[in-house]
Amino acid sequence: MRSLPLFHRIAGQPVVVLGEGDMAEPKRRLVERAGGEVIADLAEGIDRGARLAFIAHNDPAMCEADAIRARCAGLLVNVVDQPALCDFTTPSILDRDPVLLAIGTSGASAGLAKQLRLRLEALLPADLGLLASKLEALRVRLRQVYPTGAERRQALDAALTAGGPLDPLASGAHERAEAWLDGAFRQDAGQRVEIRLASNDPEDLTLRTARLLGSADVVLHDAAVPLAILARARADAKRLVLPAEVPEGAGLVVVLLSAIP
């Protein structure tokens, strides 16, 4: 990755936004939308402990000078339309509060990020945020019904998958959450799936294989399976080279065999 994607909480915090006109105004609105306090003077922002600075002067020389001053004071800097001067870039944002999708291109093309966002806007139901809020409200009950982390992950993966009772791409999923937790859509939690790869290229993974890798608690794999494919598994999934014993209590186990030569 060229950039590390992070969600930065700035509610109630000072954020420096320098410049006037069409380039600076969207940054002011963005900061205010996230609850931050816009500071239009760099020295004041530094004195008040600001951590972020957006710089959008019409004069490139002024942008570079203020970027150096802000960075020397310990601020992370975004200079509008000058990726080479940026410590961070701002993504195209799809807002289904509290769900946020941030689409970035590391400054390569804001237009591409925007068009991807517009496509995704049409896919994600307007009530997606209600599902997230409902799952948050049910967190205590979820821990009671599924005491271990592996059980919770497996149950949620099964419920949130395509066609599942809590499918996030289906409207009204939040209305089914309590019934799901009460057992109305109960499914067997543990299973073992074996996959023989047809290629060493992760782009050749089928949708099913990619979904299973993203859901697995344990990935058993032949030593010849490329790291690029193993990287498609969950970051916290156990990775074990065959032959190996599956840990007791594991949920979904995906056995990944080597690609056919």
Side-chain angles (χ1 to χ4, degrees):
M1 297 188 299
R2 295 187 186 182
S3 304
L4 177 64
L6 300 170
F7 287 89
H8 200 96
R9 294 184 178 179
I10 63 170
Q13 302 297 316
V15 177
V16 174
V17 182
L18 305 180
E20 302 291 339
D22 294 341
M23 292 196 302
E25 189 57 33
K27 303 304 182 184
R28 289 191 179 87
R29 290 197 299 266
L30 182 64
V31 170
E32 291 169 351
R33 185 175 166 188
E37 180 186 355
V38 173
I39 305 297
D41 181 79
L42 181 55
E44 180 185 353
I46 292 171
D47 289 342
R48 294 188 54 185
R51 295 172 293 175
L52 301 177
F54 293 92
I55 300 174
H57 299 302
N58 291 323
D59 183 349
M62 286 182 62
C63 286
E64 185 171 2
D66 278 344
I68 293 172
R69 290 175 57 206
R71 192 172 288 112
C72 288
L75 280 71
L76 295 176
V77 175
N78 173 275
V79 181
V80 177
D81 288 341
Q82 296 194 55
L85 296 179
C86 292
D87 297 311
F88 69 95
T89 56
T90 51
S92 187
I93 298 171
L94 198 166
D95 188 354
R96 294 285 191 273
D97 187 56
V99 177
L100 287 176
L101 272 69
I103 305 162
T105 62
S106 295
S109 174
L112 173 59
K114 174 185 175 182
Q115 290 303 318
L116 288 172
R117 174 181 60 81
L118 292 174
R119 299 283 185 91
L120 292 172
E121 284 270 11
L123 292 176
L124 299 182
D127 61 3
L128 177 59
L130 295 177
L131 174 60
S133 297
K134 192 68 173 179
L135 290 173
E136 181 180 30
L138 293 173
R139 186 175 293 167
V140 173
R141 282 191 59 203
L142 184 64
R143 288 180 176 273
Q144 293 170 345
V145 176
Y146 300 103
T148 70
E151 289 174 329
R152 288 192 295 274
R153 284 194 301 270
Q154 189 63 28
L156 282 168
D157 283 345
L160 292 166
T161 194
L166 304 185
D167 184 346
L169 297 189
S171 296
H174 65 286
E175 297 174 349
R176 298 184 287 275
E178 292 195 43
W180 162 72
L181 200 51
D182 288 338
F185 307 95
R186 187 76 73 216
Q187 298 176 341
D188 293 334
Q191 60 175 316
R192 179 181 177 122
V193 180
E194 293 193 7
I195 298 168
R196 182 175 292 279
L197 298 172
S199 165
N200 287 329
D201 187 346
E203 296 302 319
D204 291 335
L205 292 174
T206 66
L207 291 175
R208 175 177 177 272
T209 300
R211 176 177 60 80
L212 289 170
L213 278 172
S215 302
D217 291 291
V218 178
V219 177
L220 291 174
H221 64 91
D222 187 284
V225 174
L227 291 176
I229 288 179
L230 295 176
R232 298 297 180 96
R234 272 198 358 249
D236 59 344
K238 290 185 179 297
R239 293 168 174 78
L240 303 172
V241 178
L242 289 166
E245 292 187 7
V246 178
E248 186 176 348
L252 176 62
V253 178
V254 173
V255 182
L256 219 58
L257 303 178
S258 60
I260 298 174

